[in-house]
Tab-separated table of all heavy atoms in Angstrom:
chain	number	residue	atom	x	y	z
B	460	GLU	N	-23.850	-64.974	-77.479
B	460	GLU	CA	-24.349	-65.011	-76.110
B	460	GLU	C	-23.762	-66.186	-75.325
B	460	GLU	O	-23.844	-66.210	-74.081
B	460	GLU	CB	-25.873	-65.102	-76.120
B	460	GLU	CG	-26.437	-66.415	-76.613
B	460	GLU	CD	-26.504	-66.486	-78.140
B	460	GLU	OE1	-26.013	-65.538	-78.789
B	460	GLU	OE2	-27.023	-67.464	-78.680
B	461	LEU	N	-23.227	-67.148	-76.060
B	461	LEU	CA	-22.641	-68.294	-75.358
B	461	LEU	C	-21.160	-68.090	-75.035
B	461	LEU	O	-20.551	-68.963	-74.406
B	461	LEU	CB	-22.798	-69.552	-76.217
B	461	LEU	CG	-24.237	-69.968	-76.512
B	461	LEU	CD1	-24.255	-71.195	-77.391
B	461	LEU	CD2	-24.983	-70.225	-75.214
B	462	ALA	N	-20.607	-66.998	-75.528
B	462	ALA	CA	-19.174	-66.761	-75.303
B	462	ALA	C	-18.845	-66.695	-73.816
B	462	ALA	O	-17.823	-67.221	-73.362
B	462	ALA	CB	-18.748	-65.478	-76.001
B	463	PHE	N	-19.745	-66.032	-73.066
B	463	PHE	CA	-19.500	-65.918	-71.623
B	463	PHE	C	-19.386	-67.298	-70.987
B	463	PHE	O	-18.439	-67.594	-70.257
B	463	PHE	CB	-20.645	-65.114	-70.991
B	463	PHE	CG	-20.685	-65.195	-69.490
B	463	PHE	CD1	-19.747	-64.523	-68.719
B	463	PHE	CD2	-21.641	-65.962	-68.842
B	463	PHE	CE1	-19.792	-64.597	-67.344
B	463	PHE	CE2	-21.686	-66.036	-67.466
B	463	PHE	CZ	-20.753	-65.349	-66.710
B	464	TRP	N	-20.364	-68.125	-71.294
B	464	TRP	CA	-20.352	-69.456	-70.657
B	464	TRP	C	-19.195	-70.293	-71.169
B	464	TRP	O	-18.605	-71.076	-70.416
B	464	TRP	CB	-21.684	-70.161	-70.932
B	464	TRP	CG	-22.826	-69.429	-70.291
B	464	TRP	CD1	-23.789	-68.696	-70.902
B	464	TRP	CD2	-23.077	-69.356	-68.896
B	464	TRP	NE1	-24.655	-68.159	-69.994
B	464	TRP	CE2	-24.230	-68.553	-68.721
B	464	TRP	CE3	-22.456	-69.867	-67.759
B	464	TRP	CZ2	-24.771	-68.272	-67.480
B	464	TRP	CZ3	-23.008	-69.581	-66.537
B	464	TRP	CH2	-24.153	-68.785	-66.393
B	465	PHE	N	-18.889	-70.124	-72.467
B	465	PHE	CA	-17.772	-70.883	-73.006
B	465	PHE	C	-16.466	-70.509	-72.304
B	465	PHE	O	-15.708	-71.380	-71.853
B	465	PHE	CB	-17.657	-70.634	-74.508
B	465	PHE	CG	-16.441	-71.264	-75.121
B	465	PHE	CD1	-16.372	-72.638	-75.331
B	465	PHE	CD2	-15.333	-70.500	-75.466
B	465	PHE	CE1	-15.237	-73.213	-75.875
B	465	PHE	CE2	-14.208	-71.078	-76.010
B	465	PHE	CZ	-14.155	-72.435	-76.217
B	466	LEU	N	-16.240	-69.207	-72.223
B	466	LEU	CA	-15.001	-68.758	-71.576
B	466	LEU	C	-14.989	-69.147	-70.103
B	466	LEU	O	-13.956	-69.536	-69.555
B	466	LEU	CB	-14.850	-67.250	-71.718
B	466	LEU	CG	-14.606	-66.753	-73.141
B	466	LEU	CD1	-14.607	-65.240	-73.182
B	466	LEU	CD2	-13.279	-67.293	-73.667
B	467	LEU	N	-16.154	-69.017	-69.490
B	467	LEU	CA	-16.227	-69.367	-68.078
B	467	LEU	C	-15.916	-70.853	-67.884
B	467	LEU	O	-15.126	-71.230	-66.998
B	467	LEU	CB	-17.630	-69.043	-67.560
B	467	LEU	CG	-17.762	-68.727	-66.082
B	467	LEU	CD1	-16.941	-67.494	-65.719
B	467	LEU	CD2	-19.229	-68.491	-65.725
B	468	GLY	N	-16.535	-71.658	-68.743
B	468	GLY	CA	-16.292	-73.080	-68.608
B	468	GLY	C	-14.870	-73.449	-68.944
B	468	GLY	O	-14.221	-74.244	-68.222
B	469	LEU	N	-14.380	-72.891	-70.049
B	469	LEU	CA	-13.009	-73.201	-70.434
B	469	LEU	C	-12.019	-72.750	-69.362
B	469	LEU	O	-11.062	-73.457	-69.033
B	469	LEU	CB	-12.689	-72.519	-71.767
B	469	LEU	CG	-11.332	-72.872	-72.377
B	469	LEU	CD1	-11.274	-74.354	-72.705
B	469	LEU	CD2	-11.088	-72.036	-73.631
B	470	GLY	N	-12.290	-71.547	-68.819
B	470	GLY	CA	-11.403	-71.068	-67.747
B	470	GLY	C	-11.446	-71.972	-66.536
B	470	GLY	O	-10.403	-72.261	-65.920
B	471	ALA	N	-12.638	-72.407	-66.202
B	471	ALA	CA	-12.748	-73.292	-65.040
B	471	ALA	C	-11.995	-74.589	-65.299
B	471	ALA	O	-11.305	-75.130	-64.412
B	471	ALA	CB	-14.215	-73.564	-64.739
B	472	ILE	N	-12.141	-75.104	-66.529
B	472	ILE	CA	-11.440	-76.354	-66.841
B	472	ILE	C	-9.927	-76.151	-66.780
B	472	ILE	O	-9.189	-76.968	-66.217
B	472	ILE	CB	-11.874	-76.842	-68.235
B	472	ILE	CG1	-13.346	-77.261	-68.177
B	472	ILE	CG2	-11.011	-77.988	-68.702
B	472	ILE	CD1	-13.944	-77.560	-69.540
B	473	GLU	N	-9.474	-75.065	-67.402
B	473	GLU	CA	-8.037	-74.806	-67.370
B	473	GLU	C	-7.555	-74.670	-65.927
B	473	GLU	O	-6.505	-75.200	-65.542
B	473	GLU	CB	-7.725	-73.526	-68.143
B	473	GLU	CG	-8.004	-73.598	-69.625
B	473	GLU	CD	-6.820	-74.133	-70.414
B	473	GLU	OE1	-6.020	-74.883	-69.831
B	473	GLU	OE2	-6.713	-73.811	-71.609
B	474	LEU	N	-8.331	-73.943	-65.131
B	474	LEU	CA	-7.954	-73.767	-63.731
B	474	LEU	C	-7.961	-75.106	-63.012
B	474	LEU	O	-7.061	-75.424	-62.221
B	474	LEU	CB	-8.920	-72.793	-63.068
B	474	LEU	CG	-8.626	-72.415	-61.624
B	474	LEU	CD1	-7.237	-71.780	-61.511
B	474	LEU	CD2	-9.683	-71.478	-61.083
B	475	GLY	N	-8.991	-75.904	-63.317
B	475	GLY	CA	-9.056	-77.215	-62.688
B	475	GLY	C	-7.891	-78.094	-63.108
B	475	GLY	O	-7.307	-78.819	-62.278
B	476	LEU	N	-7.563	-78.031	-64.384
B	476	LEU	CA	-6.413	-78.811	-64.842
B	476	LEU	C	-5.137	-78.376	-64.138
B	476	LEU	O	-4.278	-79.194	-63.804
B	476	LEU	CB	-6.266	-78.663	-66.360
B	476	LEU	CG	-7.381	-79.303	-67.208
B	476	LEU	CD1	-7.183	-78.951	-68.684
B	476	LEU	CD2	-7.388	-80.818	-67.030
Side-chain angles (χ1 to χ4, degrees):
Chain B
E460 69 278 5
L461 298 179
F463 167 73
W464 296 108
F465 174 74
L466 292 174
L467 207 61
L469 186 63
I472 292 171
E473 295 272 26
L474 184 59
L476 292 174

